[in-house]
């Protein structure tokens, strides 16, 4: 049986997804022509909420949309979804739609409050060989559907987000996770020196804003990895660890949860909640393994294409 047939037969699934967003085609009932709707879809704006999340200036930059058309589109969108404040009860009901994606390790899931959270950006940073990409592969393995693409430069990365948004809309409810590994690698290549730092941070902020909107619009979890840099000034302040994640305050403010990964003994890796609104600072130990059967933690799916997984080593979990 095909995957889309299985999804369609699940009770209440369609109703749940339809309540999450309204299709942009509804604008036709309010005088917006099909040609203009196609122009919006071409840049990844496929829902009424997506229009409300996009500024007038950004909409005017869409080829073929004048200021008059943008005002008309905005007015029609506000008729379908009235902009305004949510009551605490309404927001509580919306938060009930949040789910968590398992990392494959019970201890790691416990540390994260259940796993990688939807409608949020989770960032994992660390030095090389701390398990960032391995964790990304494991999350893919724990997800239902996977498709992959590779960006060549940061502008291409932004263009791919438009494609991703359209894909999430086209196959609503199929995809639950969006991974970017790594969020800063291409920015470090495309922008160099302090002279281009301001432009780099502005582009980064735009990308993170787009990711946050996608996560809320389609109720997906966003997981990004990040790299480290040495802080030359740390030695002057006698800091124990002179390394810090790159991306500055822009990335720090955008991430809902920040996970610090560092090497332990052998294959042991230490995961630490570096920043999270709802959790105190915590640490847990996990061990990278090549055979899921060797893991003492619960691992139901095993590995298919990754060749490795994350798991908690029995007797090695500790608080530091």
């Amino acid at each position: 049986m095909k995957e889309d047939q299985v999804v369609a037969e699940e009770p209440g699934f369609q109703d749940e997804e339809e309540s999450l967003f309204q299709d942009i085609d509804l604008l036709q009932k309010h005088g917006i022509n099909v040609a203009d709707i196609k122009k919006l879809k071409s840049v990844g704006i496929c829902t009424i909420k997506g229009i409300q999340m996009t500024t007038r200036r950004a909409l005017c930059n869409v080829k073929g949309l004048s200021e008059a058309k943008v005002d008309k589109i905005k007015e029609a969108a506000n008729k379908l979804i009235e902009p305004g404040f949510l009551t605490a009860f309404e927001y509580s009901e919306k938060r009930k739609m949040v789910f968590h994606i398992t990392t494959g390790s019970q201890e790691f899931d416990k540390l994260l409050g259940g796993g990688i959270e939807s409608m949020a950006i989770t960032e994992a940073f660390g030095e090389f060989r701390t398990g960032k990409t391995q964790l990304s592969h494991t999350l893919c393995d724990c997800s239902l559907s996977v498709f992959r693409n590779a960006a060549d430069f940061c502008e291409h990365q932004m263009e791919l987000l438009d494609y991703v948004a359209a894909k999430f809309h086209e196959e609503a409810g199929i995809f639950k996770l969006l991974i970017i590994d790594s969020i800063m690698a291409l920015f470090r290549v495309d922008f160099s020196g302090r002279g281009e730092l301001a432009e780099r941070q502005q582009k980064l902020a735009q990308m993170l804003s787009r990711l946050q909107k996608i996560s809320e619009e389609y109720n997906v979890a966003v997981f990004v990895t990040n790299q480290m840099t040495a802080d030359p000034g740390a030695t002057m302040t006698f800091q124990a660890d002179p390394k810090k994640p790159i991306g500055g305050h822009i990335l720090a403010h955008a991430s809902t949860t920040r996970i610090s990964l560092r090497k332990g003994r052998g294959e042991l890796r230490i995961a630490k909640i570096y920043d999270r609104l709802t959790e105190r600072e915590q640490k847990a130990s996990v061990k990278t393994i090549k055979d899921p059967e060797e893991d003492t933690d619960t691992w139901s799916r095993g590995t298919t294409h990754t060749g490795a997984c994350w798991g908690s080593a029995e007797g090695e979990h500790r608080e530091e």
Side-chain angles (χ1 to χ4, degrees):
M1 186 177 293
K2 294 182 180 180
E3 185 180 26
D4 54 352
Q5 293 176 332
V6 175
V7 173
E9 291 175 2
E10 289 183 281
F13 182 86
Q14 293 291 346
D15 293 338
E16 179 183 352
E17 291 302 330
E18 286 176 0
S19 64
L20 183 62
F21 61 81
Q22 290 182 284
D23 197 285
I24 198 175
D25 290 331
L26 293 174
L27 291 177
Q28 294 182 50
K29 298 180 180 180
H30 295 270
I32 307 301
N33 61 56
V34 177
D36 290 338
I37 292 176
K38 287 183 177 179
K39 292 171 185 176
L40 292 171
K41 288 183 177 181
S42 67
V43 294
I45 303 175
C46 304
T47 68
I48 304 301
K49 190 67 175 177
I51 294 175
Q52 293 182 329
M53 288 179 172
T54 308
T55 63
R56 279 180 166 80
R57 185 174 67 175
L59 289 175
C60 287
N61 289 333
V62 177
K63 187 177 180 180
L65 293 185
S66 63
E67 290 186 12
K69 285 185 176 181
V70 168
D71 289 339
K72 188 177 180 180
I73 291 171
K74 279 284 190 180
E75 183 181 352
N78 291 339
K79 288 180 181 179
L80 291 167
I81 301 180
E82 184 178 352
F85 292 95
L86 294 177
T87 65
F89 177 77
E90 290 172 336
Y91 186 73
S92 176
E93 289 297 308
K94 181 181 178 182
R95 292 294 298 174
K96 289 181 180 179
M97 301 178 70
V98 172
F99 59 87
H100 294 82
I101 296 176
T102 180
T103 61
S105 166
Q106 289 182 340
E107 293 298 333
F108 205 172
D109 288 346
K110 182 180 177 181
L111 184 70
L112 295 172
I116 306 299
E117 183 181 349
S118 69
M119 293 192 185
I121 297 176
T122 301
E123 172 199 355
F125 64 85
E127 293 182 273
F128 64 95
R129 213 175 65 83
T130 53
K132 303 184 295 296
T133 299
Q134 189 174 354
L135 177 57
S136 300
H137 286 171
T138 304
L139 288 171
C140 289
D141 199 38
C142 294
S143 301
L144 295 177
S145 301
V146 178
F147 73 94
R148 178 187 179 276
N149 208 324
D152 300 314
F153 45 91
C154 60
E155 290 183 2
H156 185 203
Q157 203 168 25
M158 278 292 289
E159 293 171 0
L160 287 178
L161 290 183
D162 294 338
Y163 170 79
V164 166
K167 190 73 173 177
F168 286 172
H169 176 266
E170 179 184 346
E171 303 182 40
I174 300 298
F175 301 101
K176 298 295 184 182
L177 177 65
L178 172 59
I179 296 176
I180 298 182
D181 181 21
S182 97
I183 187 68
M184 289 299 301
L186 295 177
F187 284 95
R188 299 182 91 175
V189 174
D190 295 345
F191 299 91
S192 59
R194 291 185 177 272
E196 297 182 344
L197 180 61
E199 184 182 0
R200 187 194 79 171
Q201 293 301 92
Q202 185 182 36
K203 295 289 185 181
L204 174 62
Q206 292 172 354
M207 174 172 289
L208 292 170
S209 176
R210 183 75 168 117
L211 286 172
Q212 185 62 48
K213 290 173 182 176
I214 289 175
S215 71
E216 294 179 2
E217 191 174 356
Y218 298 103
N219 190 19
V220 297
V222 175
F223 179 79
V224 302
T225 66
N226 192 16
Q227 301 170 346
M228 303 281 284
T229 185
D231 184 5
T235 55
M236 302 298 295
T237 57
F238 303 101
Q239 294 182 16
D241 189 358
K243 298 179 293 295
K244 63 179 182 181
I246 60 177
H249 296 295
I250 297 292
L251 185 52
H253 288 307
S255 301
T256 307
T257 302
R258 307 191 82 189
I259 307 168
S260 172
L261 301 175
R262 63 180 176 86
K263 302 169 188 173
R265 295 180 180 177
E267 297 301 316
L268 200 67
R269 299 293 181 267
I270 311 299
K272 172 184 175 182
I273 295 296
Y274 190 79
D275 180 33
R276 193 180 190 186
L277 292 176
T278 57
E279 299 288 340
R280 64 181 177 85
E281 185 176 288
Q282 300 179 68
K283 292 182 181 179
S285 300
V286 292
K287 186 175 75 170
T288 56
I289 57 177
K290 294 183 178 180
D291 185 358
E293 295 181 358
E294 296 177 3
D295 187 19
T296 56
D297 200 356
T298 301
W299 182 261
S300 58
R301 293 182 60 85
T303 59
T304 54
H305 62 282
T306 62
C309 65
W310 275 60
S312 171
E314 185 177 14
E316 291 181 327
H317 170 64
R318 64 179 184 272
E319 299 287 340
E320 293 186 355

